[in-house]
């Protein structure tokens, strides 16, 4: 048996499946594609998460597109993070090309052009169905981890949520949270102190600065109502194809806080909402996180621990997470160890640091007698990748240099008109794009503060009126005393006449005459 025949048997045996699967392409021996040596991914293991890595321009996005298409074809819904803005073409069939037909001839199955049902989502000012979440849905623990708060500051956030629960103050958006934060350190300071203990203004100031940071990155658009129901990510169309939800994030790269906030909230909500199903035949939802370093670069240790916990536990809900990034080292080791499917495109060795990264990347893959992994990693062509998946028993398959199949949909973006048509034909767009601003903590506290202010103003006015009345009473009393003194020192005219010397002499003169 020739080496090629041995390799063919090696691949077909390593990638055999009993259940349903998707086909990624055909394995390569050296530079030659071995026709019909098909590299397959069992649907059963798709909830074991995955990684798509490779240098810029090596075909990562097209690989992501291929996976999304084939998942949709199998009735599995998909959520894509479209940070570069080049995935909307999934809604239109590929125009085809001679080179695509040639590629598929080498692989061993014909090319078929298809379009797929997509839903355009947004968390920013871009057009699309708006994804929102309320502050209450985050809860104090998750919010504190996202904001990277200290233990003391986290305690204050917990008090704020407890106060709002106790007083029926809905926490919906950022302005609600900011209002409560200001209230507990000003008008409500004594009330909070009596019920929950003293709150440091220095700590509330630090929390407010963290909230403003997220607000400035567009958090005011993300936090609020109507809150998105994650069940709407798991829809299939009338043909049984899974809906591909494309989240437009082309304006988010300079807003890492908002992106990581959204991602963590989404994963937490999915985990809380979806029921346990273990390792079923097909996953409920596959989520692709493009430019994954945006999630991890600025994450605190507490936040990374939270993400790691979710990655470990969420697969039991039938959810698969796939991280797309330039280098495997962009993903923390503890999370990388949880990823079952690995698709590694070419890496470039321009510097000593690059060569070290390639060596580390090669160690993530099983040893192979057919490849020098470190060397081949720098030689992979566009649309080629090293692939290793988990078989149906959870065992890694043989490492295969793979000629990947071409996307069945358009490898280009939709025009503005086409994109607008997709959005306008969406049922979710009309469900979630209504602006709601019902009475919540902001309005209720403003009313409460107005009452407090009016009560204080009335008390001040009453006190001033009382002082004025007292002043007037004292003034009257003073005037009365002065008047009394004046009357007491003024002689009666009759008395004055009777007591005068002239009158007395006259009286004595008359008396003398009478006596004589």
């Amino acid at each position: 048996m020739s080496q090629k025949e041995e390799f063919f048997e090696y691949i077909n045996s390593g990638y055999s499946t009993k259940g349903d699967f998707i086909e990624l392409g055909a394995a390569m021996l050296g530079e030659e594609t071995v026709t019909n040596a098909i590299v397959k991914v069992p649907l059963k293991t798709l909830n074991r998460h995955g990684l798509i890595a490779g240098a810029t321009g090596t075909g990562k996005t097209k690989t992501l597109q291929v996976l999304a298409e084939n998942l949709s074809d199998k009735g599995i819904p998909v959520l894509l993070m479209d940070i570069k803005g080049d995935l909307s073409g999934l809604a239109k069939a590929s125009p085809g090309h001679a080179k695509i037909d040639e590629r598929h001839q080498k692989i061993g199955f014909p090319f078929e052009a298809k379009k797929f049902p997509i839903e355009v989502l947004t968390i920013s000012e871009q057009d699309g169905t708006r994804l929102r979440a309320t502050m209450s849905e985050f809860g104090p623990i998750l919010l504190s981890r996202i904001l990277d708060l200290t233990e003391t500051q986290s305690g204050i956030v917990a008090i704020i949520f407890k106060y709002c629960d106790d007083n029926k103050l809905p926490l919906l958006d950022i302005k609600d949270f900011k209002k409560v934060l200001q209230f507990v350190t000003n008008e409500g300071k004594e009330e909070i102190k009596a019920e929950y203990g003293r709150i440091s203004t220095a700590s509330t100031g630090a929390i407010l600065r963290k909230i403003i940071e997220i607000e400035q990155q567009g958090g005011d658009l993300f936090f609020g109502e109507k809150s998105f129901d994650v069940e709407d990510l798991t829809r299939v169309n009338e043909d049984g194809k899974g809906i591909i939800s494309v989240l437009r994030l082309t304006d988010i790269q300079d807003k890492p806080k908002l992106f990581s906030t959204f991602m963590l909230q989404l994963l937490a909500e999915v985990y809380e909402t979806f029921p346990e199903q273990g390792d079923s035949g097909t996953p409920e939802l596959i989520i692709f996180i493009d430019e994954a370093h945006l999630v991890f670069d600025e994450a605190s240790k507490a936040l990374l621990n939270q993400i790691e916990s979710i990655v470990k536990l969420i697969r039991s809900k039938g959810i698969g997470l796939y991280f797309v990034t330039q280098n495997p080292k962009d993903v923390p080791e503890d999370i990388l160890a949880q990823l079952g499917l690995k698709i590694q495109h070419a890496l470039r060795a321009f510097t000593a640091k690059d060569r070290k990264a390639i060596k580390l990347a090669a160690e993530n893959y099983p040893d192979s007698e057919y490849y020098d992994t470190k060397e081949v990693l720098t030689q992979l062509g566009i649309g080629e990748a090293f692939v290793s998946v988990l078989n149906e028993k959870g065992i890694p398959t043989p490492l295969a240099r793979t000629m990947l199949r071409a996307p069945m949909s358009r490898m280009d973006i939709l025009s503005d008109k086409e994109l607008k048509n997709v959005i306008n034909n969406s049922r979710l767009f009309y469900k979630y794009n209504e602006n709601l601003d019902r009475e919540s903590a902001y309005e209720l506290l403003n009313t409460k503060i107005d009452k407090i202010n009016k009560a204080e103003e009335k008390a001040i006015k009453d006190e001033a009126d009382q002082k004025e009345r007292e002043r007037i009473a004292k003034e009257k009393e003073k005037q009365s005393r002065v008047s009394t003194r004046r009357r007491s020192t003024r002689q009666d005219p009759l008395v004055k006449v009777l007591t005068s010397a002239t009158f007395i002499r006259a009286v004595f003169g008359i008396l003398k005459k009478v006596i004589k």
Side-chain angles (χ1 to χ4, degrees):
M1 186 182 292
S2 67
Q3 185 185 33
K4 183 177 178 179
E5 289 172 332
E6 287 179 357
F7 180 76
F8 180 85
E9 290 297 326
Y10 173 71
I11 294 297
N12 280 345
S13 173
Y15 284 88
S16 64
T17 63
K18 292 181 180 179
D20 205 354
F21 56 87
I22 60 176
E23 298 170 320
L24 289 182
M28 302 173 67
L29 182 60
E31 298 291 327
E32 181 186 359
T33 303
V34 181
T35 305
N36 291 323
I38 305 300
V39 174
K40 307 170 186 175
V41 183
L43 297 189
K44 184 179 179 180
T45 63
L46 282 168
N47 67 331
R48 300 295 186 92
H49 314 315
L51 172 74
I52 303 172
T56 300
T58 56
K60 297 190 302 296
T61 302
K62 300 312 166 197
T63 299
L64 187 160
Q65 190 171 342
V66 164
L67 283 169
E69 292 172 344
N70 283 274
L71 290 166
S72 176
D73 248 357
K74 297 294 183 181
I76 301 170
V78 176
L79 172 62
L80 304 176
M81 310 291 146
D82 189 12
I83 290 181
K84 295 186 285 293
D86 47 9
L87 289 171
S88 61
L90 281 157
K92 295 293 180 181
S94 168
H97 195 279
K99 288 187 177 180
I100 293 178
D101 293 331
E102 182 185 345
R103 172 181 286 258
H104 275 256
Q105 188 175 3
K106 291 179 180 178
I107 292 172
F109 53 80
F111 175 74
E112 183 181 2
K114 288 184 182 181
K115 64 178 182 178
F116 296 87
I118 75 167
E119 183 76 47
V120 179
L121 309 176
T122 180
I123 61 171
S124 62
E125 294 180 347
Q126 293 183 305
D127 293 335
T129 298
R130 192 160 296 286
L131 270 66
R132 293 187 182 93
T134 65
M135 279 283 182
S136 294
E137 288 170 334
F138 269 70
I141 296 174
L142 186 57
L143 185 62
S144 296
R145 287 179 178 173
I146 287 167
L147 297 177
D148 192 20
L149 301 181
T150 65
E151 185 176 346
T152 300
Q153 293 163 356
S154 299
I156 291 172
V157 170
I159 287 173
I160 287 173
F161 274 80
K162 181 70 167 64
Y163 176 77
C164 290
D165 286 343
D166 292 345
N167 292 273
K168 295 180 172 56
L169 299 172
L171 275 177
L172 304 180
D173 50 28
I174 284 183
K175 74 176 188 295
D176 286 334
F177 190 85
K178 287 168 64 179
K179 192 67 183 180
V180 181
L181 199 59
Q182 292 162 355
F183 176 78
V184 300
T185 54
N186 294 299
E187 297 88 352
K189 185 175 182 178
E190 293 304 317
E191 179 186 352
I192 294 294
K193 183 178 179 181
E195 292 291 329
Y196 308 99
R198 191 177 70 84
I199 288 180
S200 164
T201 54
S203 294
T204 55
I207 297 169
L208 184 60
R209 287 191 292 273
K210 296 286 183 71
I211 286 289
I212 289 173
E213 182 182 356
I214 288 181
E215 185 180 32
Q216 288 175 334
Q217 293 192 16
D220 54 331
L221 294 173
F222 173 62
F223 288 101
E225 292 186 310
K226 188 175 185 179
S227 184
F228 190 84
D229 184 356
V230 291
E231 292 284 355
D232 282 329
L233 296 173
T234 61
R235 296 174 301 135
V236 296
N237 72 356
E238 58 277 6
D239 298 324
K241 289 184 177 180
I243 301 291
I244 301 174
S245 299
V246 179
L247 179 58
R248 304 178 70 198
L249 295 168
T250 55
D251 58 348
I252 212 76
Q253 295 211 42
D254 59 342
K255 302 173 183 177
K257 274 283 184 184
L258 178 60
F259 181 62
S260 59
T261 297
F262 159 74
M263 277 309 310
L264 192 56
Q265 189 277 333
L266 175 73
L267 296 179
E269 187 71 12
V270 166
Y271 179 72
E272 291 294 328
T273 303
F274 285 34
E276 289 281 343
Q277 69 172 56
D279 290 324
S280 61
T282 57
E284 287 292 310
L285 175 68
I286 298 295
I287 301 174
F288 290 90
I289 304 172
D290 200 1
E291 301 295 337
H293 64 276
L294 293 177
V295 177
F296 302 115
D297 279 356
E298 295 190 17
S300 63
K301 191 175 188 310
L303 190 56
L304 286 175
N305 289 339
Q306 179 79 13
I307 296 172
E308 183 185 343
S309 296
I310 290 175
V311 170
K312 286 179 179 178
L313 298 172
I314 205 169
R315 75 176 184 86
S316 65
K317 308 281 185 160
I319 310 299
L321 303 178
Y322 288 73
F323 299 96
V324 185
T325 189
Q326 292 195 15
N327 199 299
K329 69 181 179 60
D330 295 334
V331 180
E333 286 187 10
D334 290 339
I335 294 175
L336 192 62
Q338 304 296 319
L339 309 183
L341 169 63
K342 294 186 176 72
I343 300 176
Q344 178 66 62
H345 288 268
L347 293 173
R348 307 304 183 206
F350 297 122
T351 66
K353 185 177 179 181
D354 290 339
R355 288 190 289 275
K356 184 178 179 181
I358 290 170
K359 182 180 178 182
L360 291 173
E363 293 173 357
N364 290 317
Y365 295 91
D367 292 333
S368 173
E369 60 183 287
Y370 294 99
Y371 309 112
D372 181 340
T373 309
K374 293 192 294 294
E375 183 178 345
V376 177
L377 271 177
T378 63
Q379 299 171 355
L380 293 169
I382 296 173
E384 297 176 6
F386 268 135
V387 176
S388 177
V389 308
L390 295 180
N391 65 21
E392 290 168 319
K393 295 181 180 179
I395 302 170
T397 58
L399 182 63
R401 178 178 180 176
T402 305
M403 173 70 73
L404 297 166
R405 62 188 297 173
M408 295 179 277
S409 57
R410 185 193 292 179
M411 289 190 280
D412 197 3
I413 63 173
L414 298 180
S415 67
D416 290 342
K417 183 178 179 180
E418 289 171 331
L419 186 63
K420 189 174 181 180
N421 286 336
V422 170
I423 294 171
N424 289 340
N425 290 327
S426 165
R427 289 187 297 107
L428 295 188
F429 179 81
Y430 298 99
K431 178 180 178 181
Y432 290 109
N433 282 51
E434 179 185 0
N435 288 322
L436 298 178
D437 191 14
R438 64 184 173 98
E439 189 175 62
S440 54
Y442 180 82
E443 291 79 14
L444 293 171
L445 282 179
N446 274 337
T447 301
K448 185 172 183 176
I449 290 168
D450 285 342
K451 289 180 180 178
I452 292 172
N453 290 339
K454 286 177 181 178
E456 288 179 351
E457 288 173 5
K458 186 177 183 300
I460 292 170
K461 186 176 182 300
D462 289 347
E463 185 180 355
D465 289 346
Q466 180 63 28
K467 287 182 178 179
E468 181 63 16
R469 287 194 294 271
E470 290 175 357
R471 186 189 68 76
I472 292 171
K474 287 180 180 179
E475 186 66 27
K476 287 181 178 179
E477 184 181 353
K478 180 180 178 182
Q479 289 176 355
S480 177
R481 285 198 301 269
V482 170
S483 176
T484 302
R485 283 198 302 271
R486 284 176 181 171
R487 285 197 303 272
S488 64
T489 57
R490 190 186 302 123
Q491 272 190 313
D492 189 280
L494 180 60
V495 174
K496 187 176 182 181
V497 170
L498 293 175
T499 58
S500 65
T502 303
F503 180 79
I504 293 172
R505 281 196 300 271
V507 170
F508 275 110
I510 292 170
L511 288 173
K512 282 181 180 182
K513 288 179 181 181
V514 171
I515 294 171
K516 284 182 180 182

